[in-house]
Amino acid sequence: MGGLGDRLKPCGPPVDSSASARLRETLADYFGAEPAILTAAWPALQPVFAASPYLSALARTDAARLIRIITDDPEEHLELVLKRTLAAGRQLDIEIAKTELRSLKSELHLLTALCDLGKVWPLETVTRALSSFADEALKAALRLAVAEQMEKTGISEPSGPHSLSGFFCIAMGKYGAYELNYSSDIDIVFFYDPETMTPACSVSASALAVKIVERIVNILHSRTADGYVFRVDLRLRPDPLSTQIAVSVNSAHVYYESVGQNWERAAFIKARVVAGDIGTGEHFLHELSPFIWRKNLDFAAIADIQSILSQIQSIKGRENVSASNADLKLGPGGIREIEFFAQTQQLILGGRHPDLRSPRTLDALGALAAAEQISPPALEDLSTAYVKLRELEHRAQMIADEQTHRMPADEHDRSRIAALAGYSRLSRFDGDLTKTLRTVSRHCRTLFAGEEQLSSRFGRLAFTGIEDDPETLATLARMGFEQPGQISSTIRGWHHGHISATRTERGRELLTRLTPKLLEAIHECGASDVAFTRFSRFFGGLSMGVQVQSLLLSRPRMLELLVRLMAFGPRFAGALARYPATLDALLDPSFFRASLVFDMECIRTDPRDDFEAIMNAARRAHREHSFRIGVHVVAGIASAVEVGLAFTSLADTLIDLCARAALAELERKAGRLDGDVAVVALGKCGSHEMSAGSDLDLMTIYNPNASAAASAISGLGPETFYARFTQRLITALSAPTTEGGMYEVDLQLRPSGTKGPVAVSVRAFENYYSVEAEVWELLALTRARVIWSSSLSFGAQVSAAVEAAVRRPRDQAQTARAVREMRALLAQERPPRGFWDLKMNEGGLVDIEFIAQFLQLTNAPTGGPLLQNTGEALIALADQGLAPARAMKALLDAWRLQQDLTQLLKVTLDDGADPESEPAALRMMLARAGQATSFSRLRSKLDRARGGARRTFVRLV
């Protein structure tokens, strides 16, 4: 058919005539005079060299090579290049071979570019030429690497040094389909069969395979003074972050059968064995066929396949597509959408229709049209667009041999590509490209019209594949994530089955649908990174993810609530992470309707349960109900008083349960003792003011029967018996079990504190508080409350003893002085931990509690009120005229404000955390809890309230 120079046609007008003129002078100087073949071909060559600095450099570097290329028949010259490329593998010196391969790559690039731009070869021939060169270069590199290892290790290979039994390479993606682009890297995966690959040396098959792959990559990928041959990408192998660069066929089969994803199935549509033991490789692909081509697909599987395309199609900006800065590959209406358009349909239909399994994109589109899966107009539009976009992709890469797919924003730079594409006017080029991109986008959108949206209003969300999608990272940044790369990597790890929740195919399919909704909900909470990190811990702890994901998908408001809890409730987020089954409580239809007050009917126990089983049941109940209360707090649907009562009723019920169990367990082991015992709560539990994480201030009081010594079956005396009961009670309430912990228990408020016995008789209790008790102990006793007793009559007796102790006459001035001294000592030993220490700051909860307790204690002898709850006590004192009404009203408001904030802070933050450094959304939540319009106004309101409370403390105490 004649030389290439005779067949070249001008691609478009030259954009830089001076540059091409200088090149022409250089070439003429090289030969002494301009060769006639160059003169004849120059009208076609000038636009090429004027637009492309890279191709111009190739011509200038080796003028003789240029003349050979335009003189020879292009098909024959290609065959010669391919033969010389394969022959480079016979070189004895690898460094010489590397130089030859890089020189041949330059020759192929110049030949292919001229045939492409000069309209000699169509797109299919161009991509096949590039792919065929990759085949021969890879075979040559394999031969060189194997020969080197034979020499180093002494292995012998019956089939010769060009290969190794059981070791093979599979080309993936565009390379596998003979669709390589001009400056493409090559996606390849190396596999080996250890049973077939049996080197006769001390090196294992695995180690040998890895060494060979490392050398192949070095030969092709390393950049020398002569450039590189191909960038090699090995990341399409199974779970690339966890596997070696050469994968055994056995482990590959296990991976694909267990956690293989739909995007990996799509990648294998184009897979082709290109080097090594071809027979073993073909057998491997044949065995993998059931993974790639599934005959039976349910709705969820189809939806997950469709997500491969749907995830990359963001709505944002899709109608504003333009040529300037357009991404020809990944952007809206780009090459990736056409490829995925075809591949998703192939995956859905190809299992039952083998004629749809073509690896080449254009052939696949044609087969889908023949099967009436896409319309003839769609076939024509998409095929034409595919060719156009691929050709433009080549031209963009020919400018500087860069792996770019983006159109330059600069008009001069874009005009170079327009000229190589045959356009004389940039405006026309821009208009045609924009129209093409919009046409592709329109067809791809209609493919899944009406399907679930898998992107975000902020942009694209794509987590398939093995690397971060740049547009997805940009979307995550727009959603408020400060570390979008970490978020993307974590989600891809979930898709790879790195956690139990996604080790099943169904779990991964649901994850595809859940991810965009999850990320949207996290964005809405205003604490994106914190919420995602805590959700990740929770999600990673699930043993099975299908049920939870299905629940969250079916109940969007529950997902939003869970995310808010993760963002603003670290205490409960941590509990969910440790015990994900707690989430089951949300399944109860009455979760938000039923009272938060907890009673014995809420605990699931069996009469046959032993002590340990009851301890575990108590911990489950504590965890689940604490979670429920916390959800109500974060959701803003429970007041501080309601929350305090809820946490306290939970504690009351669990103390009741554990006290019964402790007594029964002691009697089972030590025998029964005739007597009574009661459990008394003090502190926050006694006053119904508990919050998340509150400990229990308890004391146990007993009353042995007068004839106890005679009637004791166990042989234990009352003091020992009830001390052991108390110890078992503490164990039941605080010891960690397989279900976790429950409460911290403090017995220091008992008579004589740590110096006295852990259980006291009622007589000792009465004597102590009538003679020895200090003022601070009497203040604490104003909040004492009998929670459980072995008999109603004894419970009433203990309550009466408590009230009698508090109502004894005392000197008001001495009591006030003792209270002041105690408050000063607390300020010295436990100074406030910053502004948001709502308990210890002046005017904080301690001051208000001291006022209420002091006023009750000093008025009790004359019949004043005795109420454990601080708020109720303040109201009663004012109502009975025992304290100034205005002062009590101010104290009550300050107490309520700080109680509201305490309940929210205890649920949302760890102890000691500073709300000032928390996300704005949490600060706003605190402001709302304090009935302030902003966080700064909340600070001011709190400051004023505490100032007033402190002044009242000074005035009254």
Side-chain angles (χ1 to χ4, degrees), residues 641-653:
V641 171
E642 291 172 325
V643 173
L645 289 172
F647 277 120
T648 305
S649 71
L650 173 62
D652 286 358
T653 304

Side-chain angles (χ1 to χ4, degrees), residues 796-870:
Q797 181 183 349
V798 171
S799 295
V802 169
E803 182 171 356
V806 174
R807 290 196 181 277
R808 285 194 179 91
R810 54 188 42 82
D811 184 273
Q812 182 168 344
Q814 290 182 356
T815 303
R817 184 169 55 253
V819 172
R820 291 195 299 272
E821 291 172 354
M822 183 167 49
R823 183 65 181 95
L825 182 63
L826 273 177
Q828 179 181 345
E829 294 184 349
R830 294 177 58 188
R833 295 175 296 182
F835 179 84
W836 291 97
D837 189 333
L838 300 173
K839 181 178 181 180
M840 301 306 300
N841 264 299
E842 289 189 351
L845 291 172
V846 164
D847 276 1
I848 299 172
E849 289 166 1
F850 273 9
I851 293 172
Q853 293 164 17
F854 165 73
L855 291 176
Q856 289 188 96
L857 192 62
T858 55
N859 286 287
T862 57
L866 284 181
L867 297 166
Q868 294 96 353
N869 182 265
T870 303

Side-chain angles (χ1 to χ4, degrees), residues 896-924:
R896 285 173 175 166
L897 172 62
Q898 294 182 88
Q899 279 289 94
D900 286 339
L901 297 177
T902 294
Q903 292 294 359
L904 184 55
L905 286 172
K906 288 293 185 180
V907 167
T908 56
L909 299 181
D910 294 323
D911 289 339
D914 184 2
E916 306 276 354
S917 61
E918 292 299 314
L922 176 59
R923 298 199 300 271
M924 195 60 225

Side-chain angles (χ1 to χ4, degrees), residues 416-471:
R416 292 176 181 271
I417 300 171
L420 293 179
Y423 286 84
S424 57
R425 297 204 331 263
L426 180 61
S427 59
R428 185 175 178 184
F429 169 79
D430 286 351
D432 285 355
L433 175 55
T434 300
K435 181 179 179 181
T436 297
L437 295 172
R438 289 179 177 173
T439 298
V440 172
S441 181
R442 174 170 52 82
H443 281 297
C444 290
R445 281 206 311 272
T446 58
L447 177 63
F448 300 137
E451 295 296 333
E452 186 174 1
Q453 180 62 40
L454 294 174
S455 62
S456 164
R457 57 193 168 93
F458 292 93
R460 180 164 73 211
L461 288 172
F463 301 100
T464 57
I466 39 100
E467 62 186 1
D468 291 329
D469 171 53
E471 178 57 30

Side-chain angles (χ1 to χ4, degrees), residues 344-371:
T344 52
Q345 295 305 287
Q346 287 179 290
L347 287 180
I348 293 171
L349 303 168
R352 297 184 300 276
H353 303 285
D355 52 333
L356 300 179
R357 299 178 183 180
S358 172
R360 295 181 61 80
T361 302
L362 290 175
D363 293 343
L365 290 172
L368 288 167

Side-chain angles (χ1 to χ4, degrees), residues 366-377:
L368 288 167
E372 299 183 346
Q373 296 301 318
I374 58 175
S375 67

